[in-house]
Amino acid sequence: MTPRTKEKFEEIRESKRRKIIDSAIECFATKGYHAVSISELAAHAGVSKGLMYNYFSSKDELLKTIFNETMDQMLELFDPDSKGLNEKNDLLMYLERYYHHLKSNLILWKMYMAIFSQPAVQQILQKEILEVSQKPLEIIGNYFKKEGFKHPEVEVAFLSTLFSGVLTEYISDPDHYPLEQIMKRILSIYS
Amino acid sequence: MTPRTKEKFEEIRESKRRKIIDSAIECFATKGYHAVSISELAAHAGVSKGLMYNYFSSKDELLKTIFNETMDQMLELFDPDSKGLNEKNDLLMYLERYYHHLKSNLILWKMYMAIFSQPAVQQILQKEILEVSQKPLEIIGNYFKKEGFKHPEVEVAFLSTLFSGVLTEYISDPDHYPLEQIMKRILSIYS
Amino acid sequence: MTPRTKEKFEEIRESKRRKIIDSAIECFATKGYHAVSISELAAHAGVSKGLMYNYFSSKDELLKTIFNETMDQMLELFDPDSKGLNEKNDLLMYLERYYHHLKSNLILWKMYMAIFSQPAVQQILQKEILEVSQKPLEIIGNYFKKEGFKHPEVEVAFLSTLFSGVLTEYISDPDHYPLEQIMKRILSIYS
Amino acid sequence: MTPRTKEKFEEIRESKRRKIIDSAIECFATKGYHAVSISELAAHAGVSKGLMYNYFSSKDELLKTIFNETMDQMLELFDPDSKGLNEKNDLLMYLERYYHHLKSNLILWKMYMAIFSQPAVQQILQKEILEVSQKPLEIIGNYFKKEGFKHPEVEVAFLSTLFSGVLTEYISDPDHYPLEQIMKRILSIYS
DNA sequence: TATGAATGAGGCTTCATTCAT
DNA sequence: AATGAATGAAGCCTCATTCAT
């Protein structure tokens, strides 16, 4: 009997890795980082405790991995073609994208909030957070400058504020928050 | 035991209780609920571990207590005289109050965020949260109705969104967030 | 009911600390450092696992503490009055003391061997070991120099060798090793 | 399957076995038995974890195997031709051999010490140790009897003591221990 | 009222070993 | 013969909570 091929092994690894990550995202979203134990994560993913450490060297490491993957998605969301925002329409589409992403990735954003608003977790991810949050803000800032806003940096902060607010409110009660109408209300400010 | 002595005791008890609560608020704000141990809380408050249980039957109980007291403050903030909002000026003053409260009670709000963004904690406090948040929203809703807004309930949600956003952003980086200018930006929407 | 006095607490602490240490020395002597678990140490000392950490912050820390206390004893043994070795008689008494200490502290020396000959443990104690081993060797070296030995440093190494050998052999089979006669044989070399 | 192929297989098997053993000796020498995991051993030997169990049924089994092979070497060392010690020169050559073996097999002896000083391991190997150590001691004892020593058995113990001591000291700091001079010093006792 | 020693459940992690391929 | 994914027991440690004083 021949041993499994390298490809087969990598296949197994990758699919299990995904399973663990997706499962962990759900758990973290539901209960928060500290409130979920490795045992729970393992059980929820349908693997043994020990196997978790075959894929991630620690609980923190798993968190960082999830964070990085999530951040990559977010970056893509906020600037998919890396061209920046050039006209008003781009900004509107920007808002559109945010709206759709929020709606179709509720769990991901829930996890984002559940995890990253915890001070203890922020300490774990401090470095990563700083690195990632800079770029999207810059892109938006450049747009406002170009458009001749009087206080572009304040306008950026204001938009961030709106994003944060929408996120917070929608996440905390997705069934009742009038997401679409709120997005329209925001659009009305910039139209 | 004379009544005098009894009163004295009560006084001491109450002041120690305050000390524990205030100290705990600081700790929770800085590190989050799960990341702070009873030992740490006791040490930070300058009392023994055992004594903590003399005042609060459990860590959860302490959390609930803090929550309730905080909520009382919030209620007071959003409607100190229970008269509701009657004219535009009231709304502006409303925003003003929020702004000032935020600035002067940073720790309290930090703790609020640190604690509430954790789903596990939210579950513990779910009932309390619902109860408390209803009333201020109603008051604002009534105002918008009276003012003839087309979608008063959306407008309420929008204002909540702004509040949430300001809170989130300010709390996460109080030194750089342009709180005052953002508040002015918001005022400009309603003036 | 009044709380226990500070003295009472310290009394408890000190006596329990001793109990844990003595018990741990026995265990380490019997099975070696890595082969004994904290659970075993706790059970053998008659306390709970958790309490171990009230007294020692980690297993390594316990080891270091035992090492330091043992070393203090050893130092005292090898130079009780800190006067050094001044004449041949001092050296002979030196040997005598070693002999008696060995006989009456078998467990201590067993533990010493069981623990300190393990590379992994040596790494934990590296710093401490270096610090402590210097002084006694110097004292003996000075004596040999004073006595005009041709190669005092070799003579020191030779004596160390004898000590090590006696220790190793005696410890590994205390009932059959002719300790007293070996010590006489050694004395005969220096008389 | 032709006999030729079978032999070839045996050859491969044997060479891989050696590789694993030699690699393990190094690891045990450096870090001690408990401190090295099967994973480490496998990685260091360049084979998979699973394969380790194809050659040795357990970690203990591997240890025992190494011990037995080492012991065979030791026996050979102390009495290569099984003729015993017949004259003083034989004893001196005996010492010589020990000296050279020590110098050229440092790792082996390091492992020997790293492993054997651990009581837990000694228990595993107790029987084997007793069996092996008897014979060389007898040979030396016979020599001392023949030479008319007053207490031949003490003299044997004394020589064992010296061997143990030299081993211990040399192993613990091979770069600084004056091995050659110490051996000369010992020779001087018996010349 | 007040202390801190004491407990034990549960958290994270390691590792010898098994197993499907 | 060979691989490495998978398991689960056991190890170290933390922490909410209890208890004797």
Side-chain angles (χ1 to χ4, degrees):
Chain A
M1 220 172 274
T2 61
R4 258 174 284 208
T5 61
K6 243 185 189 172
E7 290 77 31
K8 188 75 189 167
F9 274 131
E10 273 182 26
E11 205 181 302
I12 293 176
R13 270 195 88 75
E14 186 45 33
S15 88
K16 190 129 300 181
R17 207 185 98 99
R18 263 268 60 84
K19 198 174 168 190
I20 293 176
I21 288 186
D22 290 344
S23 167
I25 288 178
E26 260 184 68
C27 293
F28 288 151
T30 313
K31 309 183 69 179
Y33 180 69
H34 280 101
V36 190
S37 69
I38 287 278
S39 284
E40 268 177 280
L41 292 173
H44 193 262
V47 301
S48 70
K49 242 186 307 183
L51 196 60
M52 299 291 289
Y53 289 86
N54 194 321
Y55 289 86
F56 303 94
S57 63
S58 70
K59 202 185 168 190
D60 276 16
E61 189 58 34
L62 171 59
L63 178 65
K64 282 184 188 166
T65 301
I66 288 180
F67 175 80
N68 287 328
E69 294 209 356
T70 306
M71 282 304 109
D72 286 353
Q73 271 207 41
M74 307 278 167
L75 275 185
E76 216 176 322
L77 163 68
F78 284 114
D79 186 28
D81 49 12
S82 295
K83 284 186 198 151
L85 307 178
N86 297 309
E87 37 175 305
K88 188 192 284 176
N89 200 41
D90 285 348
L91 181 66
L92 301 187
M93 280 181 61
Y94 206 95
L95 289 168
E96 273 290 305
R97 275 206 302 276
Y98 184 63
Y99 164 68
H100 284 298
H101 198 274
L102 221 54
K103 263 189 68 173
S104 39
N105 297 278
L106 181 54
I107 289 187
L108 208 63
W109 288 99
K110 257 194 174 164
M111 182 219 58
Y112 180 89
M113 284 303 278
I115 289 184
F116 301 123
S117 46
Q118 295 178 48
V121 171
Q122 282 168 18
Q123 274 156 31
I124 299 175
L125 299 173
Q126 222 164 14
K127 224 181 54 191
E128 280 90 345
I129 288 177
L130 272 179
E131 268 175 44
V132 163
S133 60
Q134 286 314 330
K135 206 183 152 194
L137 297 184
E138 256 175 49
I139 294 174
I140 302 176
N142 288 335
Y143 170 73
F144 284 133
K145 261 179 224 155
K146 197 160 38 184
E147 291 292 305
F149 274 73
K150 244 187 193 163
H151 303 291
E153 72 290 346
V154 172
E155 206 56 35
V156 168
F158 182 64
L159 196 57
S160 296
T161 301
L162 280 168
F163 279 157
S164 286
V166 167
L167 181 55
T168 309
E169 295 290 308
Y170 178 51
I171 255 52
S172 76
D173 191 1
D175 294 334
H176 299 101
Y177 186 72
L179 179 58
E180 184 160 10
Q181 290 164 289
I182 291 292
M183 291 310 288
K184 278 185 191 154
R185 180 71 176 83
I186 295 177
L187 284 174
S188 77
I189 295 179
Y190 291 103
S191 301
Chain B
M1 209 179 277
T2 66
R4 184 74 141 299
T5 314
K6 222 177 182 175
E7 272 170 35
K8 193 84 180 194
F9 273 160
E10 282 300 318
E11 210 180 299
I12 294 175
R13 226 188 131 68
E14 182 48 30
S15 91
K16 192 148 286 186
R17 208 185 93 99
R18 265 262 61 85
K19 200 175 168 186
I20 293 176
I21 288 185
D22 290 343
S23 168
I25 288 177
E26 258 183 71
C27 294
F28 289 150
T30 313
K31 308 181 70 177
Y33 180 69
H34 280 101
V36 189
S37 68
I38 288 277
S39 286
E40 259 178 290
L41 292 174
H44 194 262
V47 303
S48 71
K49 236 187 307 188
L51 198 59
M52 298 290 288
Y53 287 85
N54 194 315
Y55 287 87
F56 305 94
S57 63
S58 72
K59 203 185 169 190
D60 271 19
E61 186 58 35
L62 171 58
L63 180 65
K64 279 185 191 167
T65 303
I66 288 180
F67 172 77
N68 288 328
E69 297 209 357
T70 306
M71 281 303 107
D72 286 352
Q73 272 208 43
M74 307 281 167
L75 267 189
E76 219 175 318
L77 163 67
F78 284 113
D79 185 30
D81 50 11
S82 298
K83 282 187 201 150
L85 306 177
N86 297 310
E87 38 176 306
K88 187 193 284 176
N89 200 41
D90 283 350
L91 181 64
L92 302 187
M93 280 181 61
Y94 208 95
L95 289 167
E96 274 290 304
R97 272 208 304 278
Y98 185 62
Y99 165 67
H100 284 298
H101 198 272
L102 223 52
K103 264 189 66 171
S104 38
N105 296 279
L106 181 53
I107 289 186
L108 206 65
W109 287 99
K110 258 194 173 164
M111 181 221 60
Y112 180 89
M113 286 303 279
I115 289 181
F116 282 43
S117 47
Q118 298 177 53
V121 172
Q122 280 169 19
Q123 275 155 30
I124 299 175
L125 301 172
Q126 219 164 15
K127 225 180 50 191
E128 281 93 340
I129 289 177
L130 275 178
E131 264 176 46
V132 164
S133 60
Q134 273 333 73
K135 207 182 153 193
L137 296 183
E138 259 174 48
I139 293 174
I140 301 175
N142 289 335
Y143 170 74
F144 284 133
K145 263 178 220 155
K146 196 161 40 185
E147 290 293 307
F149 275 74
K150 245 188 192 165
H151 304 290
E153 71 290 348
V154 172
E155 206 57 35
V156 168
F158 183 63
L159 196 58
S160 296
T161 301
L162 280 169
F163 279 158
S164 284
V166 167
L167 180 54
T168 308
E169 296 289 308
Y170 178 51
I171 256 49
S172 76
D173 192 1
D175 294 335
H176 299 101
Y177 187 73
L179 179 57
E180 185 160 9
Q181 289 164 287
I182 291 293
M183 291 311 287
K184 278 185 191 154
R185 181 71 176 82
I186 296 177
L187 284 175
S188 78
I189 295 179
Y190 291 104
S191 300
Chain C
M1 220 171 273
T2 62
R4 262 177 279 209
T5 62
K6 244 185 188 169
E7 291 78 31
K8 188 71 188 171
F9 273 131
E10 274 182 22
E11 207 182 300
I12 293 176
R13 270 196 88 76
E14 185 47 33
S15 86
K16 189 128 301 178
R17 207 185 98 100
R18 264 266 62 83
K19 199 175 167 189
I20 293 176
I21 287 185
D22 291 343
S23 166
I25 289 177
E26 262 183 67
C27 294
F28 288 150
T30 312
K31 310 183 69 178
Y33 180 70
H34 279 102
V36 190
S37 70
I38 287 277
S39 285
E40 266 177 283
L41 291 173
H44 193 263
V47 302
S48 70
K49 243 185 307 182
L51 196 60
M52 299 291 289
Y53 290 86
N54 193 321
Y55 289 87
F56 303 95
S57 62
S58 70
K59 202 185 169 191
D60 276 16
E61 188 59 33
L62 172 59
L63 178 66
K64 282 185 189 165
T65 303
I66 289 180
F67 175 80
N68 287 329
E69 293 208 358
T70 306
M71 283 303 108
D72 286 351
Q73 272 206 43
M74 307 280 168
L75 274 185
E76 216 177 321
L77 163 67
F78 284 113
D79 186 29
D81 50 12
S82 296
K83 284 185 199 151
L85 306 178
N86 296 311
E87 36 176 308
K88 187 192 285 175
N89 201 42
D90 284 349
L91 181 64
L92 302 187
M93 282 181 61
Y94 207 96
L95 289 168
E96 273 291 303
R97 275 205 304 274
Y98 185 63
Y99 166 66
H100 284 298
H101 198 272
L102 222 53
K103 265 188 66 173
S104 38
N105 296 280
L106 181 54
I107 288 185
L108 208 64
W109 288 99
K110 256 193 174 163
M111 180 221 58
Y112 180 89
M113 286 302 279
I115 289 182
F116 300 123
S117 45
Q118 296 177 48
V121 171
Q122 281 168 18
Q123 274 157 30
I124 300 174
L125 298 172
Q126 222 164 13
K127 224 181 55 190
E128 281 89 344
I129 288 178
L130 272 180
E131 269 176 41
V132 164
S133 60
Q134 285 315 330
K135 208 184 150 193
L137 296 184
E138 257 176 47
I139 294 174
I140 302 175
N142 289 336
Y143 170 72
F144 284 133
K145 263 180 220 155
K146 196 159 43 183
E147 290 293 306
F149 276 72
K150 245 189 191 159
H151 303 291
E153 72 291 347
V154 172
E155 205 57 35
V156 169
F158 183 64
L159 195 58
S160 295
T161 302
L162 281 168
F163 279 158
S164 284
V166 167
L167 180 55
T168 308
E169 295 289 309
Y170 178 53
I171 255 53
S172 76
D173 192 0
D175 293 335
H176 299 101
Y177 186 72
L179 178 59
E180 184 160 12
Q181 289 164 288
I182 291 292
M183 290 311 288
K184 278 186 190 151
R185 180 73 176 81
I186 295 177
L187 284 174
S188 77
I189 296 177
Y190 291 103
S191 301
Chain D
M1 210 179 278
T2 66
R4 183 73 140 304
T5 315
K6 220 177 183 175
E7 270 171 36
K8 193 83 180 195
F9 272 160
E10 281 300 317
E11 211 179 296
I12 294 176
R13 225 188 132 68
E14 181 49 29
S15 91
K16 193 147 283 188
R17 207 186 94 100
R18 264 262 62 82
K19 200 174 168 189
I20 294 177
I21 289 185
D22 290 343
S23 167
I25 288 178
E26 258 185 71
C27 293
F28 288 150
T30 313
K31 309 181 69 178
Y33 179 69
H34 281 101
V36 190
S37 69
I38 289 275
S39 285
E40 260 178 288
L41 292 174
H44 194 262
V47 301
S48 71
K49 237 186 309 187
L51 197 59
M52 299 289 289
Y53 286 84
N54 194 316
Y55 287 87
F56 305 94
S57 65
S58 71
K59 201 183 169 190
D60 271 19
E61 186 58 33
L62 171 59
L63 179 66
K64 279 186 190 165
T65 302
I66 288 181
F67 173 78
N68 287 328
E69 297 208 356
T70 306
M71 281 302 107
D72 288 351
Q73 272 208 43
M74 306 282 167
L75 266 188
E76 219 177 317
L77 162 68
F78 283 114
D79 184 30
D81 50 11
S82 296
K83 285 187 199 149
L85 307 177
N86 296 311
E87 38 175 305
K88 189 192 283 176
N89 201 41
D90 284 351
L91 181 64
L92 301 188
M93 281 181 60
Y94 207 95
L95 289 168
E96 274 290 305
R97 272 207 305 278
Y98 185 62
Y99 165 68
H100 284 298
H101 197 272
L102 223 52
K103 264 188 66 172
S104 38
N105 296 279
L106 180 55
I107 288 186
L108 205 66
W109 287 99
K110 258 195 173 164
M111 181 221 59
Y112 180 90
M113 287 302 280
I115 289 180
F116 283 42
S117 47
Q118 297 178 53
V121 173
Q122 280 168 19
Q123 276 154 28
I124 299 175
L125 301 172
Q126 218 163 15
K127 225 180 50 190
E128 281 92 339
I129 289 177
L130 273 179
E131 264 176 47
V132 164
S133 61
Q134 274 331 75
K135 205 181 155 194
L137 296 184
E138 256 175 50
I139 293 174
I140 302 176
N142 289 335
Y143 170 74
F144 284 133
K145 263 180 220 153
K146 195 160 45 185
E147 291 293 307
F149 275 74
K150 245 187 192 163
H151 303 293
E153 72 291 345
V154 172
E155 205 58 33
V156 168
F158 183 64
L159 196 59
S160 295
T161 302
L162 280 167
F163 280 156
S164 285
V166 167
L167 179 56
T168 309
E169 296 288 309
Y170 178 52
I171 254 54
S172 77
D173 192 0
D175 293 335
H176 299 101
Y177 186 71
L179 179 57
E180 184 159 13
Q181 289 164 289
I182 291 293
M183 291 311 286
K184 278 185 190 154
R185 181 72 177 82
I186 295 177
L187 284 173
S188 77
I189 295 178
Y190 290 104
S191 302

